[in-house]
Amino acid sequence: MRARALAITGAMASALTLTATGLAAADPAAEISGDGLYLVNIDIRPGTYESAGTPNEQGCWWRRLWKVQTDTDIPKDPNYYIIASDYTRQHPTRVEIKSTDVAFSTENCGTWRMVPPVSTGSFG
């Protein structure tokens, strides 16, 4: 976990350095290629994503996070940083990643692709 947190901290520092120097960083992606932790607005764009899921019976587990946990954070409970999550064997699976989310974590869900949001049919 410490290596992952350091890598994330380094990624954020790199993005800030590029921004401060006037160099453009790569645009955030509209596809999530597999398992991992992705920073919103840095690695991936906010929006509605869909995964076809995986063919095995293990199921898909995703989490929207308001903070990326580090070793020095209190509380130590990783569930404290979750905005929303789901464990499902349902295919396909959809999630709306919001621009206010800090990160998105996915395990055993396969590739996620951005799709148009589903209309609720309501006005306003």
Side-chain angles (χ1 to χ4, degrees):
M1 180 59 109
R2 181 164 173 73
R4 181 182 286 175
L6 291 174
I8 291 167
T9 302
M12 288 189 285
S14 296
L16 290 174
T17 301
L18 287 172
T19 303
T21 61
L23 297 174
D27 287 334
E31 183 174 292
I32 301 168
S33 59
D35 293 358
L37 181 69
Y38 298 86
L39 298 175
V40 178
N41 295 312
I42 294 174
D43 299 325
I44 58 171
R45 286 189 245 166
T48 302
Y49 286 81
E50 183 175 278
S51 169
T54 54
N56 61 39
E57 292 297 316
Q58 291 179 354
C60 162
W61 188 23
W62 60 261
R63 292 167 297 285
R64 292 177 41 229
L65 305 169
W66 64 268
K67 183 178 189 304
V68 176
Q69 184 177 11
T70 64
D71 290 342
T72 59
D73 287 337
I74 298 190
K76 297 287 185 193
D77 180 5
N79 295 318
Y80 180 77
Y81 303 101
I82 296 174
I83 298 168
S85 67
D86 194 15
Y87 173 81
T88 183
R89 290 188 175 109
Q90 190 174 34
H91 301 245
T93 299
R94 280 188 178 229
V95 63
E96 181 185 356
I97 300 171
K98 298 185 178 184
S99 62
T100 53
D101 295 353
V102 170
F104 178 74
S105 175
T106 177
E107 293 177 35
N108 203 41
C109 299
T111 300
W112 294 87
R113 290 182 177 78
M114 189 178 285
V115 295
V118 176
S119 172
T120 62
S122 62
F123 292 97

